[in-house]
Amino acid sequence: METDRLIIDEIRETDKEAYFTSISHDKKVLETFICTYADSLEEFDFNKYLGRDDLYAIRLKDSEELIGIILYFDEESGVCEIGYGIGSEYWGHGYATEAAKRFIRFLHEEKGIKKVTASFFTGNDASKHVMEKCGMTYDHFVENELTYLGKERDLTYFSVNL
């Protein structure tokens, strides 16, 4: 998949360091995106991300450098949820919106998905804005849905019918 500035494709063995830097070791990202923190590149279990058909790299088109990831899950009866994480170094450039719009189109056209949902931790207005720019609207709210990083987290869900 491509956009004007991005390529969305499989996770490669050569992505280990970029994935570690932009996602698994970036504490700002981990405040907004559920992922296991890795303290060092040596202890980072990267193999679990390889060969998956539900997880994709978000790359800058000009360098093919991985700057984030996007995935879909809980696919059932034409409905799925998506999640995305962009390295904090790349925040504020519209990459998450650009990737999510293209990914939603892929899910509809290639996977036959009819409804896409996404959620964000209460207070994560940047992710809420990404969802709104993708045509998603408020769906529902769940108080204390999960414990993450030692805190009870509320999640707000948005969705779009395709």
Side-chain angles (χ1 to χ4, degrees), residues 127-140:
S127 197
K128 175 184 176 184
H129 292 308
V130 168
M131 293 174 200
E132 290 172 335
K133 290 176 186 174
C134 290
M136 300 176 117
T137 56
Y138 176 82
D139 192 277
H140 66 281

Side-chain angles (χ1 to χ4, degrees), residues 24 26-38 121 146-153:
S24 295
D26 189 330
K27 289 186 178 182
K28 288 181 183 176
V29 171
L30 296 179
E31 282 291 322
T32 62
F33 180 76
I34 298 173
C35 187
T36 304
Y37 177 76
F121 292 139
L146 58 91
T147 302
Y148 179 63
L149 300 178
K151 300 178 203 171
E152 290 294 318
R153 300 294 180 114

Side-chain angles (χ1 to χ4, degrees), residues 17-127:
E17 189 171 343
Y19 197 114
F20 170 78
T21 302
S22 289
I23 304 296
S24 295
H25 189 71
D26 189 330
K27 289 186 178 182
K28 288 181 183 176
V29 171
L30 296 179
E31 282 291 322
T32 62
F33 180 76
I34 298 173
C35 187
T36 304
Y37 177 76
D39 198 37
S40 69
L41 190 58
E42 295 72 35
E43 77 172 33
F44 177 44
D45 181 15
F46 182 65
N47 289 333
K48 66 183 176 183
Y49 302 113
L50 295 172
R52 292 178 49 178
D53 62 1
D54 61 343
L55 175 67
Y56 296 80
I58 300 171
R59 305 177 188 284
L60 295 175
K61 190 182 269 187
D62 60 355
S63 67
E64 294 196 20
E65 174 189 0
L66 181 145
I67 63 165
I69 58 171
I70 193 163
L71 72 154
Y72 70 99
F73 52 97
D74 292 342
E75 180 183 358
E76 188 177 312
S77 302
V79 178
C80 73
E81 185 170 348
I82 64 169
Y84 44 84
I86 301 284
S88 62
E89 173 183 348
Y90 302 98
W91 289 358
H93 299 284
Y95 294 132
T97 300
E98 192 171 325
K101 281 182 178 179
R102 179 62 184 95
F103 196 64
I104 289 168
R105 194 173 98 216
F106 160 77
L107 290 170
H108 178 63
E109 293 174 356
E110 302 295 323
K111 301 285 186 184
I113 298 296
K114 303 292 183 210
K115 180 179 181 179
V116 173
T117 66
S119 65
F120 61 91
F121 292 139
T122 300
N124 184 357
D125 290 338
S127 197

